[in-house]
Each structure stands twice: as structure tokens, then as C-alpha cells.
Amino acid sequence: MVIGIVCYPTFGGSGVLATELGIELSKKGYEIHFITYNQPVKLELLDNNVHYHEVNVPDYPLFHYPPYELALSSKLVEMVKKYKIDLLHVHYAIPHAYAAYMAKKMLKDQNIEIPIVTTLHGTDITLVGSHPSYKTAVEFSINNSDFVTAVSKSLKNDTLKLFNISNEIKVIPNFVNLDKYNDKNSKKNLISSTDKIITHVSNFRKVKRINDVIDIFYGINKKIKSKLFMIGDGPEKKKAEKKAKSLGIKDKVVFFGKSNETNQILSFSDLFLLPSEIESFGLSALEAMAAGVPVISSDTGGIPEVNKHNFSGLLSKVGDTEKMVNDAINLLSDEQLLNDFKKNSRKRAEEFDIHNIVPNYENIYKNLINQ
Ligand code: GMT
């Protein structure tokens, strides 16, 4: 079976998830074609089963915005015909589901049928998708996909609340490749062995409440000798650096930027912070748990479906940084309790093992293609 995958090639969770899915499918014998504007950041190796096709978007003085979805839909038509792709799986509805629908229509004109699977990831529904400027087209492309999945029950409910959906939506949670988190890396030499390591990974956007991450660490650090590792980059990073400086903890907060060493850093972290405002799933929290790192998080959106309160971590209302600080200090100051939570978080992550989740997508593909 030949599968085309459309996603954002960036560090964000939907791109990471789509890449991991493609690699896992290729290992199972599927021929995989990634079609996007850059090679996905996590797609290290291209082997004979995995291909990448760049969507080129020529500019023109008349264009204020280069029409990416037009270039993407044309590329999809070409690639489906050239490689006899059986099915397109698009990740993040905007503009991928819409472009895939246009490609499907263009191919139908040439008597080629191609099923489209759309996976909803989060802000394509909650933040951006439901904006009046996009809502009509997003609703249309969800209702005209051949199959729709959402990464959490919370996101499915948000979709049904925010849009007039006539299509079924199946919840298939994100997954993690646990083999990638068994590495006990020597990076521990970066820090003095007595420091507790607190880590945060995100795209540093407003929804992640980066200021809360700094405030929570500031509160922890008053009682616990610790360091904060901040991985990722985005619009809120500068403000976070300024806040760390103004609180006098600049030397205790390390900003790594976009890093391909997240797994190594997680392998010696003691706690992960995710105090998001909005979060459909929280893939970064699942990755931390896979590395045996307990999570202090807010209870927004799909996070409670991932981070099990009082088992793999502790949850609080959005913005309740005081409780998050107290929960963190209670965990970090009791070695036995911390080790129990570390073991539990790895156990919780095993419930999202890639080998158990990916067959759900395979079944969808097979049903659609054999229809
Ligand atoms: O919208 C974003 O913040 C980016 C988006 C992405 O592409 O990473 O994140 C969403 O998809 C992830 C993968 O399914 C989820 O783990 C994130 O929770 C979700 N982000 C939000 O809902 C804010």
C-alpha cells in the first residue's frame, strides 16, 4: 500500500507525530511519501520505503500571500499519479484537508479515486480553525474527508461544539516510540549531580503560558537546588529570558532553542512542566513520561487523558502556579515519592506505545481502500 502524508515539517507535535507514523508504517512495508514544503525535521533518514517531495510555492509581485494550498493540491495530484498513491493522510486540518479535497476533485476528473484521512491535532480546531476567517472552509473540508480522527476525546468534543459536523470522528490518541527513550545519556555532566532538573519543551507560543513555567521554576528554586532547561523556540522566548533575568535566576535557566537532543535531556530530567492554557493532547508531556519524567501540568483540554493525576504527575487549574509550585516541591523533596512517580510515568506512557496505536490507522486505510 502506498500512503501520502501531508503535515507541517516543523518541530510542532503534529509534524513529529506524522513523521513517526510514516517511519513506523515504512518499517511495516508501506511505501510512504511525505509531501510538504520542507523535509520534516524528525525525518532523519530516507530509505527505499520513505520519500519526500517538496512543495514549491513560486512568488509573484501580485501575490500578497503565496497560495500554498494551490501549490500543495497540484503537487498532491502529480504525486498520486506518479507514485500510484492509494490514500492521502493529512495532519492538521488547515490548509491540508482543504488542499487534499481539491486534489481529490481534480483526480476524480481523471477517473482516479483517492480516499482522504484527516487527523485533527488541536489549534486547527480550537484556536485557528474556528476563527470566522477560516471556519467555513475548515468545516467543509472536515465534512468532506473520507475519514476523520482526533487526537483526544477533548478535541473531538471541541470539534463537535465549534463546528456543524456531519462526519464521524474517531479518537486515536497520539503515540510514542518508547525505544527512543531508553537512552541513559552522559549529558548529566552538563550539570552538578545535586541539581534537580526541571524541563519544558514547546513552540513557545502564548497558549503554552511560558511565563508560568518561569514563575513555577522560580518558586521551586527557592526551596530546591535546581536548574530549568527550556527546549524550543517561538514568540514568547524573549519575554521568558527577560523574566528569568529580572527574577535573578538567569544562571539557572538554560534556553536550548530548537534541539534534536530533547530525548537525551529528558533522560536525566526530574520533572516536566506544561502549564498550558489550551492543549488538545500535550505530546511533549507524553514524551517526558516515556523518559520516566513526571509531569506538573494544567488540566486543560486533553491533558488529563494523558497525564494521570497523582500517578504520572499532578494537575492543576490553568494559572494556579502556586499549587504547581507546591506540588513540584512535595515531589522533588521526597526521593521515594519522586521515584514512584518516575516509574509510574513510564508505565503510563506504555499505554500510548506506537505499536499499539498505529494499527488503528492501518485498519482505517485498509477499510477505505478495500471499499
Ligand atoms: O497548534 C499547536 O500548538 C501546534 C500543534 C502541533 O502541530 O504541534 O500542537 C497540537 O498538536 C499536537 C500533536 O497532536 C498536540 O500534542 C498539541 O496538544 C496540540 N496543541 C494544542 O492543542 C495547543
Side-chain angles (χ1 to χ4, degrees), residues 12-14 92 121-123 151 174 203 205 278-283:
S14 62
Y92 204 83
H121 279 274
T123 52
V151 297
N174 286 329
N203 50 26
R205 290 191 201 139
I278 301 173
E279 202 72 72
S280 67
F281 183 88
L283 185 59

Side-chain angles (χ1 to χ4, degrees), residues 162-177:
L162 293 166
F163 296 88
N164 183 9
I165 300 297
S166 52
N167 219 338
E168 274 301 303
I169 299 177
K170 181 179 172 59
V171 176
I172 301 181
N174 286 329
F175 50 79
V176 66
N177 183 344

